[in-house]
């Protein structure tokens, strides 16, 4: 999950879209390079993912990876099959932005602009060979560091030692080559602690730079056959993975196409616009909700913004409403409700907009709730495995309750509380990737309350029965967020399970007071 410190920089030629639950930014290679340059100028940590068919197949069965991709500051399309799929789904991506093309371009720009780079991962001899060849091509390039940690599972890696070396080297660009999804999970867990303005998972790119593996001929890259060239190079390693990916991708992309092309094949059975004005779309935005549509005895809460999803949330409608929706997120409200009751058709671009709104809400520590979702919205969320990433409610009152009275425990704050008295929060049960959203919002809410009087914050961990890498990443991010607000945050009464998880990841420092 991203923090409020990281800004959204993505210059896009068109609205983003979602393919099988993976959000893809609608950018060219030049626009991606422009975005990365802005991120480096900001000096704040960001991470970028280069998504291909393997990403989409893995993300369907890996909720942690889906959340990581949702929170990424930019996800570029690194695969011609995804470009083709975007055309079938009605929102054509301009081009493939391959990581193996992006990295050499970044190295050339880094030499010109004086950026420093750090290479993490790959076999030691391959990484050193890559550095040698890179310096031959770019003699003025600043190499901040290179590290090839021993091959270990993610939970056994020396995260603290790796991040300390990166932070001391202070690179502008961090290239991580652990393979997907390990590199994405490592980056999401550590990019704030490592501190590099831009972290990118680059997969086999280090092998290409070293000449250890050859890129496919240009004609194979342009026709989408680079996977075949890779398969011929490493048949024993890649055959099973590619076969599984193409079966899973092919089957599920047809399901998504069927769900999201129905509105283009035929007219909705029960169109909501009146026959007297067929060419004028119904207003699709209301902030707050229109009184004639939502009857309530009390005035709408001033700290909740309400949006009305249009009858057709497709690429054409997204281009009209996206700017207004994004501007709404810049307000002071603590939550957003999107009424989806009248939405009869939603395509991949509409889903991409919902995911972008959710990302911005998570960055700002706000809660987003989809209210009264229609069958069209529910079916697409379920098919793309995104239901768990969105808060949902049966109606407006329930949605308001989820925002104003969240389920996670939030203590009452007495205005007369002395400044030296800490504010307490308790976690219990499983602290995993699936539940980090609610825990993040609850903790951020307390930190915001503590900021007024500079109270310390204490999070009690005695009842935590399970903690995965997402939970550990949450602890690290909360520490960083509290520090940025000048609030002292400490975790206490860590259960044996938490101690063991922290020990494995060498993250015991999070318990230091």
């Amino acid at each position: 999950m991203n923090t409020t410190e990281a800004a959204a920089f993505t210059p896009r030629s068109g609205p983003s879209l979602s393919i099988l639950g993976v959000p893809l930014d609608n950018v060219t290679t030049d626009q991606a390079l422009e975005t990365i340059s802005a991120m480096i100028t900001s000096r704040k940590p960001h991470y970028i993912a280069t998504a291909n068919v393997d990403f989409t197949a893995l993300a369907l069965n890996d909720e942690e990876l889906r959340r990581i991709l949702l929170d990424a500051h930019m996800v570029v399309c690194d695969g011609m099959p995804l470009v083709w799929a975007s055309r079938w789904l009605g929102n054509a991506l301009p081009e493939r932005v391959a990581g193996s093309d992006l990295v050499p371009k970044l190295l050339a720009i880094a030499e010109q602009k004086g950026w420093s780079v750090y290479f993490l991962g790959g076999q030691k001899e391959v990484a050193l060979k890559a550095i040698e060849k890179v310096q031959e091509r770019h003699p003025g390039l600043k190499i901040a560091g290179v590290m090839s940690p021993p091959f270990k599972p993610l939970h056994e890696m020396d995260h603290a030692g790796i991040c300390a070396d990166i932070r001391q080297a202070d690179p502008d660009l961090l290239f991580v080559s652990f393979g997907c999804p390990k590199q994405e999970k490592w980056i999401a867990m550590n990019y704030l602690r490592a501190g590099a303005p831009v972290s990118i998972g680059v997969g086999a790119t280090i092998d290409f730079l070293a000449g250890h593996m050859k890129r496919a001929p240009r004609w194979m890259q342009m026709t989408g056959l680079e996977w075949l060239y890779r398969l011929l190079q490493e048949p024993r390693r890649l055959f099973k993975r590619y076969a599984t990916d193409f079966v899973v991708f092919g089957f599920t992309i047809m399901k998504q196409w069927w769900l999201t092309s129905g509105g283009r094949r035929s007219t909705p059975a029960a169109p909501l616009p009146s026959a007297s004005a067929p060419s004028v779309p119904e207003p699709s935005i209301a902030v707050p909700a229109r009184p004639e549509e939502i009857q309530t005895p009390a005035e709408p809460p001033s700290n909740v913004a309400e949006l009305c999803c249009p009858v057709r949330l497709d690429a054409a409608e997204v281009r009209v409403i996206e700017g207004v929706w994004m501007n709404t997120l810049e307000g002071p409200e603590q939550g957003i409700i999107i009424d989806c009751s009248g939405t009869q058709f939603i395509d991949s671009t509409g889903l991409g907009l919902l995911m972008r709104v959710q990302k911005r809400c998570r960055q700002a520590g706000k809660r987003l709730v989809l209210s009264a979702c229609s069958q069209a919205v529910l079916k697409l969320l379920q098919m793309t495995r995104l239901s768990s990433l969105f808060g949902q409610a049966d109606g407006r009152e329930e949605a308001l309750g989820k925002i104003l009275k969240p389920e996670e425990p939030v203590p009452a704050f007495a205005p007369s509380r002395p400044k030296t008295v800490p504010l307490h929060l308790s976690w219990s049960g499983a602290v995993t990737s699936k539940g980090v959203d609610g825990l993040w919002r609850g903790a951020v809410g307390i930190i915001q309350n503590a900021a007024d009087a500079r109270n310390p914050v204490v999070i009690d961990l005695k009842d935590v029965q399970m903690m995965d890498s997402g939970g550990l990443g949450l602890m690290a991010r909360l520490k960083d967020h509290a520090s940025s607000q000048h609030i002292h945050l400490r975790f206490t009464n860590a259960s044996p399970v938490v101690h063991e998880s922290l020990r494995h990841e060498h993250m015991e420092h999070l318990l230091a007071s």
Side-chain angles (χ1 to χ4, degrees), residues 339-413:
D339 182 352
C340 300
S341 59
T343 304
Q344 297 184 359
F345 172 71
I346 176 172
D347 69 2
S348 302
T349 310
L351 182 58
L353 175 60
L354 292 180
M355 295 184 73
R356 189 158 179 248
V357 171
Q358 176 67 302
K359 177 193 293 190
R360 291 283 288 275
C361 284
R362 286 157 66 91
Q363 289 173 343
K366 297 181 179 182
R367 181 181 289 268
L368 170 68
V369 178
L370 305 182
S371 174
C373 290
S374 65
Q375 284 299 307
V377 176
L378 288 175
K379 285 181 179 179
L380 190 56
L381 290 178
Q382 291 166 0
M383 195 282 294
T384 53
R385 312 284 176 87
L386 293 176
S387 295
S388 61
L389 299 188
F390 290 91
Q392 298 178 43
D394 291 336
R396 180 175 181 269
E397 293 305 316
E398 182 182 342
L400 287 171
K402 286 179 177 289
I403 292 174
L404 301 177
K405 299 176 182 179
E407 294 178 0
E408 58 267 13
V410 179
F413 302 103

Side-chain angles (χ1 to χ4, degrees), residues 302-371:
S302 60
N303 55 349
V304 176
E306 300 186 37
L307 303 172
C308 185
C309 200
V311 176
R312 293 177 55 85
L313 187 59
D314 56 13
E317 186 68 15
V318 167
R319 289 184 173 88
V320 174
I321 69 175
E322 183 176 23
V324 180
W325 279 31
M326 290 301 139
N327 288 338
T328 301
L329 302 181
E330 302 302 321
E333 295 84 3
Q334 71 182 66
I336 309 290
I337 296 174
I338 300 181
D339 182 352
C340 300
S341 59
T343 304
Q344 297 184 359
F345 172 71
I346 176 172
D347 69 2
S348 302
T349 310
L351 182 58
L353 175 60
L354 292 180
M355 295 184 73
R356 189 158 179 248
V357 171
Q358 176 67 302
K359 177 193 293 190
R360 291 283 288 275
C361 284
R362 286 157 66 91
Q363 289 173 343
K366 297 181 179 182
R367 181 181 289 268
L368 170 68
V369 178
L370 305 182
S371 174

